[in-house]
Amino acid sequence: MRFFRNIVMAAAFLLAAPACAADPQKQQAGTQVFELPEGARVHDVAPAPNGSIWYTAQRQGALGILDPKTGKARQVPLGQGSAPHGVIQGPDGAAWITDSGLNAIVRFDPRGEKLTAWKLPEDVGYANLNTGAFDGNGIYWFTGQNGIYGRLDPATGDMRVFKDPDGRGPYGIAATPSGEIYYVSLAGSHLARIDRTSGKATIIEPPTPKQGARRVWADSKGNLWVSEFNSGNLSRYTPATNGWKSWRLPGAKPQAYAVYVDQSDMVWVSDFGANATLKFDPASEKWTTYPGSGEGANVRQILGRPGEVYLPESGTNRIMVIRTSGAA
Amino acid sequence: MKALVALLPAAVIAAACGAPATSSDEIAPVSGDPVRGERAYQKCYSCHGLEPGRNDIGGPTLHRIVGRRVAAEAGFDYSPALRKFAERSPSWTPELLDQLIADPEALVPGTSMTFTGITDEQERRDLIAFLQRGEPAP
């Protein structure tokens, strides 16, 4: 598989803007809201070194770096045509970005602030790259919503791309504590487990038909939590038993978009229908609601680190931080 | 944008006179290349089908989208932003579609579409020509 590794450039700073805390009246106890540079349209977030937060500025083709201590944000442009979707921190401490505009995986190394891009092979075509995750061997796996998933070996640059058995739809992807990789398909309405050696995906059908599985995350026991956009359910798949259990989100017309499981195995799920993010306690089966900071907050992804949960609000262009030690 | 508008006088006049088209049959053909437009459609493909009633993959079907009423596809739960937009822009004229494809957020602030847009005017024209042709998905 041929790969490109020649797009290496010193990162310039397109924008450096103070990110102000939003109206405190709107804030819930234990939360803080940061305004991002105008027009950024934040999509995904990830913990970054030194307590800062990375975010994809999808509409401005940049990786954002927010310092919650000062509230200042700056953005690193990713190249002409960039439209980054996902970002995670890799085991190497770098930001790994799925860039649908560039049709490439982009790595940002905070030491020296260099960018490296691996374009998808030409014969793959436009993939609408979505999300990435590292497996237990340090291989980066990614999804493309036009119907592909793939792997990239950071050590060699070797990239392989596979077709989803159901075609379009691969969206969220996650690694379990043991290093296995699962992804979900929004259009295919399925969960899939990837054989990391062969690359083959095995479909695991959730019990609700056409549920619109959008994102997935693993808890500490290796169970997979799935946010179902069409059904409004939060579902859990237990690999050891092949069993499923589903909970319908509260509210009249829930649309479960993003899901994340924190270090205490609390499950966080965003609901477009309620304009809120919910914390779900699997033990008590109770929900706690965190309203969006404004109308149509549209939290499309959730991530965090011990003691903090980050909610990127694409609709308000803000990041809400929930400090879980003080959260309800 | 101006060039595209100039190519679409019938649609623009119809909209300006308060008589929005109601089907793709009533709109003058767009002067794009539908073959190239099919390639451009790959940027829409993941969320939008072409089959009638295919509304379960993230976005509503684009079947007969040119001239279709805005936010009126049965079985799709549109965002509040698009429903509000539909109150003042009842139909997807080619001109409006061009603006949407160029920059969805600029035309419909608060839209739930994540797509950031196609900046190339010819590519947009080709895409609209493909959508206007209304052929079923390959």
Side-chain angles (χ1 to χ4, degrees), chain B residues 8-32:
Chain B
L8 306 166
V12 173
I13 292 168
C17 294
T22 55
S23 81
S24 55
D25 296 338
E26 299 172 15
I27 294 178
V30 175
S31 63

Short mmCIF file of all heavy atoms in Angstrom, two decimals, chain B residues 8-32:
data_model
loop_
_atom_site.label_atom_id
_atom_site.label_comp_id
_atom_site.label_asym_id
_atom_site.label_seq_id
_atom_site.Cartn_x
_atom_site.Cartn_y
_atom_site.Cartn_z
N LEU B 8 -29.83 30.20 -14.36
CA LEU B 8 -31.08 29.64 -13.84
C LEU B 8 -32.20 30.68 -13.80
O LEU B 8 -32.86 30.83 -12.78
CB LEU B 8 -30.85 29.13 -12.42
CG LEU B 8 -29.69 28.14 -12.27
CD1 LEU B 8 -29.34 27.96 -10.81
CD2 LEU B 8 -30.07 26.83 -12.90
N PRO B 9 -32.41 31.39 -14.88
CA PRO B 9 -33.39 32.47 -14.80
C PRO B 9 -34.80 31.99 -14.47
O PRO B 9 -35.50 32.63 -13.70
CB PRO B 9 -33.33 33.08 -16.21
CG PRO B 9 -32.78 31.99 -17.09
CD PRO B 9 -31.85 31.22 -16.21
N ALA B 10 -35.20 30.89 -15.01
CA ALA B 10 -36.57 30.44 -14.78
C ALA B 10 -36.82 30.18 -13.30
O ALA B 10 -37.83 30.60 -12.74
CB ALA B 10 -36.85 29.18 -15.59
N ALA B 11 -35.88 29.50 -12.70
CA ALA B 11 -36.05 29.17 -11.29
C ALA B 11 -36.04 30.42 -10.43
O ALA B 11 -36.84 30.57 -9.51
CB ALA B 11 -34.94 28.23 -10.84
N VAL B 12 -35.12 31.33 -10.75
CA VAL B 12 -34.99 32.54 -9.95
C VAL B 12 -36.23 33.40 -10.09
O VAL B 12 -36.77 33.92 -9.11
CB VAL B 12 -33.73 33.32 -10.37
CG1 VAL B 12 -33.68 34.67 -9.67
CG2 VAL B 12 -32.50 32.50 -10.05
N ILE B 13 -36.69 33.54 -11.32
CA ILE B 13 -37.89 34.35 -11.53
C ILE B 13 -39.09 33.75 -10.82
O ILE B 13 -39.87 34.44 -10.18
CB ILE B 13 -38.18 34.49 -13.05
CG1 ILE B 13 -37.08 35.35 -13.69
CG2 ILE B 13 -39.55 35.10 -13.30
CD1 ILE B 13 -37.08 35.32 -15.20
N ALA B 14 -39.19 32.44 -10.90
CA ALA B 14 -40.32 31.78 -10.25
C ALA B 14 -40.30 32.05 -8.75
O ALA B 14 -41.33 32.37 -8.15
CB ALA B 14 -40.26 30.28 -10.50
N ALA B 15 -39.12 31.95 -8.15
CA ALA B 15 -39.02 32.18 -6.72
C ALA B 15 -39.31 33.63 -6.39
O ALA B 15 -40.00 33.94 -5.42
CB ALA B 15 -37.63 31.79 -6.23
N ALA B 16 -38.80 34.54 -7.22
CA ALA B 16 -38.98 35.95 -6.95
C ALA B 16 -40.45 36.36 -7.05
O ALA B 16 -40.89 37.30 -6.41
CB ALA B 16 -38.14 36.78 -7.93
N CYS B 17 -41.20 35.68 -7.89
CA CYS B 17 -42.61 36.01 -8.06
C CYS B 17 -43.50 35.30 -7.05
O CYS B 17 -44.71 35.34 -7.18
CB CYS B 17 -43.06 35.64 -9.49
SG CYS B 17 -42.25 36.63 -10.75
N GLY B 18 -42.88 34.65 -6.13
CA GLY B 18 -43.66 33.98 -5.09
C GLY B 18 -44.33 32.73 -5.58
O GLY B 18 -45.31 32.28 -5.02
N ALA B 19 -43.81 32.17 -6.65
CA ALA B 19 -44.40 30.95 -7.19
C ALA B 19 -43.33 29.88 -7.26
O ALA B 19 -42.88 29.51 -8.34
CB ALA B 19 -44.98 31.22 -8.57
N PRO B 20 -42.88 29.40 -6.12
CA PRO B 20 -41.81 28.41 -6.12
C PRO B 20 -42.22 27.14 -6.85
O PRO B 20 -43.36 26.71 -6.77
CB PRO B 20 -41.58 28.13 -4.62
CG PRO B 20 -42.85 28.55 -3.96
CD PRO B 20 -43.38 29.67 -4.77
N ALA B 21 -41.24 26.60 -7.55
CA ALA B 21 -41.52 25.36 -8.26
C ALA B 21 -41.82 24.26 -7.27
O ALA B 21 -41.35 24.27 -6.15
CB ALA B 21 -40.30 24.98 -9.10
N THR B 22 -42.61 23.33 -7.69
CA THR B 22 -42.98 22.25 -6.78
C THR B 22 -42.45 20.91 -7.22
O THR B 22 -42.57 19.94 -6.52
CB THR B 22 -44.51 22.16 -6.66
OG1 THR B 22 -45.05 22.03 -7.97
CG2 THR B 22 -45.07 23.39 -6.00
N SER B 23 -41.87 20.83 -8.41
CA SER B 23 -41.26 19.57 -8.81
C SER B 23 -40.13 19.87 -9.76
O SER B 23 -40.05 20.93 -10.36
CB SER B 23 -42.27 18.66 -9.49
OG SER B 23 -42.42 19.02 -10.84
N SER B 24 -39.22 18.91 -9.87
CA SER B 24 -38.06 19.12 -10.72
C SER B 24 -38.45 19.28 -12.18
O SER B 24 -37.70 19.82 -12.97
CB SER B 24 -37.09 17.96 -10.55
OG SER B 24 -37.75 16.75 -10.81
N ASP B 25 -39.64 18.84 -12.56
CA ASP B 25 -40.07 18.97 -13.95
C ASP B 25 -40.27 20.43 -14.35
O ASP B 25 -40.23 20.77 -15.52
CB ASP B 25 -41.39 18.21 -14.16
CG ASP B 25 -41.21 16.71 -13.94
OD1 ASP B 25 -40.06 16.25 -14.05
OD2 ASP B 25 -42.21 16.05 -13.63
N GLU B 26 -40.51 21.29 -13.40
CA GLU B 26 -40.85 22.67 -13.71
C GLU B 26 -39.64 23.59 -13.70
O GLU B 26 -39.76 24.78 -13.90
CB GLU B 26 -41.89 23.18 -12.71
CG GLU B 26 -43.18 22.38 -12.74
CD GLU B 26 -44.12 22.76 -11.61
OE1 GLU B 26 -43.89 23.80 -10.99
OE2 GLU B 26 -45.06 22.00 -11.37
N ILE B 27 -38.47 23.07 -13.46
CA ILE B 27 -37.27 23.88 -13.35
C ILE B 27 -36.37 23.65 -14.55
O ILE B 27 -36.17 22.51 -14.98
CB ILE B 27 -36.52 23.56 -12.04
CG1 ILE B 27 -37.39 24.01 -10.87
CG2 ILE B 27 -35.17 24.23 -12.00
CD1 ILE B 27 -36.79 23.71 -9.54
N ALA B 28 -35.84 24.74 -15.09
CA ALA B 28 -34.96 24.63 -16.24
C ALA B 28 -33.74 23.78 -15.90
O ALA B 28 -33.24 23.86 -14.77
CB ALA B 28 -34.53 26.01 -16.70
N PRO B 29 -33.27 22.99 -16.82
CA PRO B 29 -32.11 22.14 -16.54
C PRO B 29 -30.89 22.99 -16.15
O PRO B 29 -30.67 24.05 -16.71
CB PRO B 29 -31.87 21.41 -17.86
CG PRO B 29 -33.15 21.50 -18.59
CD PRO B 29 -33.80 22.78 -18.18
N VAL B 30 -30.15 22.50 -15.22
CA VAL B 30 -28.93 23.17 -14.80
C VAL B 30 -27.82 22.78 -15.75
O VAL B 30 -27.71 21.64 -16.18
CB VAL B 30 -28.58 22.74 -13.36
CG1 VAL B 30 -27.26 23.32 -12.93
CG2 VAL B 30 -29.69 23.18 -12.41
N SER B 31 -26.98 23.76 -16.09
CA SER B 31 -25.96 23.51 -17.11
C SER B 31 -24.69 22.92 -16.52
O SER B 31 -23.60 23.39 -16.76
CB SER B 31 -25.61 24.80 -17.83
OG SER B 31 -25.05 25.71 -16.91
N GLY B 32 -24.83 21.90 -15.72
CA GLY B 32 -23.66 21.19 -15.21
C GLY B 32 -23.54 19.84 -15.87
O GLY B 32 -24.40 19.43 -16.66
#
